[in-house]
Amino acid sequence: MITILIAGAGASGMCAAITAARQGAHVILLEKNDIAGKKISMTGNGRCNITNEAMSASCYNLSAQSKMEGWLQRFGVAKTLEFMKSLGVVTQSEEGYIYPISGQAVTVQNAMIDEVVRLGVEYITGQQLKKITPVDDGGFEVKTTGGLYKADKVIIATGGLSGPKSTMSTGDSYYIAKSLGMNVTKTYPALVALLSDDKDLPSKYGVRMMAGIRIKEIEDLYEYGEVQITSKGISGIPVLQLSGRVAQYMADNNGAVTAFLDFFPTYSDDDFANMKKDIIEVSSGKTYIQVLDGISNHLIGLMILSRLGIKEDTVIDANSIDNLERVIDNYRNVRINIVATSDYASSQVTKGGVDLNDLTDDLESVHTPGVYVVGELTDVDGRCGGYNLQWAFTSGYIAGMAAAGR
């Protein structure tokens, strides 16, 4: 019987363990934490966004897209749902976002752990991977903080650099991959907030508003959704979606970038012009802030007026119309200076990792056959909304099957 050692019992590691054990392999599953699947329990704000019906290769980083299409054909959304069903997890779709019907991420975490135990996997916690050494007669010797293990195949599923305090995932295995001949691309925090040094952003609890967001320095980068603006910067789903590319651009160019927010992104130019006309017609005798409160959030109005040097209690008269029009135009182009992103401790995923050119279509190392790399440790990162968990399940299944000889 083939023995497969899997280092890391997150979503990808447990999926690999379950898949290989179901094929009859003897599986040893090691985890640095005191329990498997800690990151699973925190995904989707504790609800676990398992996958997304709007799944495609375009939802992942550019360097992964050419291979991702084939991987998703082998194990995509439909097979992920079948896998959940085999674990006894009932799922439901919320506008295409797939969650456990319980509404609790721990449902998925516990179901996977229970299946690992039921299949007779040697599940060992509190051990950190330290070294993988090929042996002359075939197979590998694996050193951990708890001892030495021998295995015919090894799957590395230890995660990237994101969430080190909560998951203890600190990128330990990047150097192990390098020692086995694999290249590791530069890494950056992704799915994080963007930080600003602007002094006039809304204070206290901030503001949540629907907006379009673009980054001046990255031509094709645009997102739309609910943006949260606080005194520290901007966050929210659309910000998270573009944060990885922003982090990479800022690191590679050693400088800040500029975010522009449009609070009327669904308005055509004609619609916006007509709206301005309607507002201006009823503005006479009102103060600027009274007018602006009718079209947007109060704190955003105060910020725009401050930037234009206009006092909020200034009364609008016939001579103010052109000025009011200029004020309203600013809602389509609010500038925020971005000086940094939040760090890995706040990030949901790591951008970069083991170069996919050093892995086969089965996620096996080209340089050290018999070693597989899965999940966040690879140079694969997806959009927010179930895409990164889908990659964890996809990569875990593919490597688990291949390592088991199927």
Side-chain angles (χ1 to χ4, degrees):
M1 180 185 295
I2 189 171
T3 296
I4 302 171
L5 185 142
I6 301 173
S12 60
M14 282 198 287
C15 185
I18 292 167
T19 299
R22 286 176 175 177
Q23 301 306 310
H26 170 224
V27 179
I28 303 169
L29 178 63
L30 305 179
E31 169 57 39
K32 183 163 55 170
N33 281 288
D34 57 357
I35 190 171
K38 277 200 170 181
K39 196 166 186 179
I40 296 175
S41 69
M42 298 180 291
T43 57
N45 289 322
R47 297 182 61 216
C48 191
N49 188 180
I50 296 167
T51 185
N52 198 302
E53 291 175 351
M55 185 62 58
S56 73
S58 64
C59 297
Y60 295 86
N61 54 304
L62 293 173
S63 58
Q65 288 179 11
S66 60
K67 287 194 171 187
M68 186 60 66
E69 186 171 351
W71 284 328
L72 289 174
Q73 287 176 359
R74 293 169 69 180
F75 195 90
V77 176
K79 288 194 175 181
T80 297
L81 297 181
E82 289 177 10
F83 179 65
M84 288 294 121
K85 186 177 179 179
S86 77
L87 299 175
V89 175
V90 180
T91 61
Q92 66 179 358
S93 173
E94 298 180 13
E95 298 182 344
Y97 296 80
I98 306 298
Y99 296 92
I101 200 166
S102 66
Q104 296 182 313
V106 70
T107 297
V108 177
Q109 179 188 18
N110 287 342
M112 296 188 76
I113 294 173
D114 290 345
E115 183 68 356
V116 162
V117 174
R118 188 189 72 81
L119 290 168
V121 171
E122 286 191 51
Y123 165 42
I124 305 168
T125 60
Q127 292 201 27
Q128 178 182 350
L129 179 64
K130 301 300 290 184
K131 189 176 183 181
I132 299 172
T133 305
V135 295
D136 293 338
D137 58 350
F140 302 89
E141 184 178 81
V142 181
K143 182 180 180 182
T144 75
T145 52
L148 290 174
Y149 297 86
K150 289 187 177 181
D152 299 299
K153 304 287 180 67
V154 178
I155 300 175
I156 312 176
T158 51
L161 289 160
S162 300
K165 291 183 180 179
S166 54
T167 66
M168 294 178 67
S169 180
T170 53
D172 302 330
S173 293
Y174 290 134
Y175 81 91
I176 294 175
K178 290 178 180 179
S179 73
L180 296 171
M182 289 174 266
N183 178 51
V184 176
T185 66
K186 289 183 179 180
T187 61
Y188 314 88
L191 301 186
V192 289
L194 302 181
L195 307 180
S196 176
D197 60 357
D198 290 346
K199 304 302 182 184
D200 56 1
L201 297 179
S203 57
K204 296 183 179 179
Y205 300 107
V207 171
R208 289 181 181 270
M209 289 186 63
M210 299 300 290
I213 176 172
R214 60 185 175 87
I215 303 298
K216 177 183 177 182
E217 291 78 5
I218 308 177
E219 185 175 350
D220 63 335
L221 200 54
Y222 175 85
E223 292 288 343
Y224 165 73
E226 186 180 64
V227 176
Q228 182 177 16
I229 311 168
T230 71
S231 59
K232 295 181 179 179
I234 55 177
S235 61
I237 297 298
V239 175
L240 300 185
Q241 304 289 32
L242 51 74
S243 62
R245 286 186 63 185
V246 172
Q248 181 175 2
Y249 181 93
M250 292 176 70
D252 292 350
N253 293 277
N254 195 30
V257 298
T258 306
F260 286 96
L261 301 184
D262 177 3
F263 292 112
F264 290 87
T266 61
Y267 278 56
S268 68
D269 290 343
D270 287 342
D271 290 338
F272 191 74
N274 290 333
M275 183 274 294
K276 280 194 299 182
K277 180 181 177 182
D278 292 341
I279 292 296
I280 289 170
E281 285 180 353
V282 296
S283 64
S284 182
K286 296 181 180 180
T287 65
Y288 274 93
I289 195 60
Q290 286 173 334
V291 173
L292 298 188
D293 281 351
I295 65 175
S296 187
N297 182 277
H298 180 74
L299 295 178
I300 297 298
L302 292 178
M303 182 180 75
I304 288 175
L305 291 173
S306 174
R307 290 184 172 189
L308 294 174
I310 300 172
K311 293 182 178 180
E312 61 181 276
D313 57 356
T314 301
V315 177
I316 297 167
D317 57 25
N319 297 320
S320 308
I321 300 306
D322 289 345
N323 211 30
L324 177 59
E325 187 170 355
R326 181 169 66 95
V327 171
I328 297 174
D329 283 340
N330 269 263
Y331 280 92
R332 304 210 79 172
N333 207 33
V334 174
R335 174 178 177 144
I336 298 179
N337 189 47
I338 304 300
V339 295
T341 68
S342 292
D343 58 16
Y344 287 109
S346 304
S347 69
Q348 296 181 30
V349 70
T350 303
K351 183 176 183 64
V354 173
D355 195 328
L356 298 183
N357 292 319
D358 288 344
L359 301 175
T360 69
D361 288 343
D362 287 332
L363 297 163
E364 184 176 17
S365 171
V366 171
H367 307 285
T368 311
V371 173
Y372 301 78
V373 183
V374 298
E376 194 178 334
L377 194 63
T378 62
D379 181 16
V380 176
D381 64 279
R383 293 172 62 82
C384 184
Y387 299 97
N388 291 292
L389 260 184
Q390 177 62 61
W391 170 238
F393 297 133
T394 295
S395 59
Y397 171 84
I398 290 172
M401 288 290 286
R406 298 299 179 95

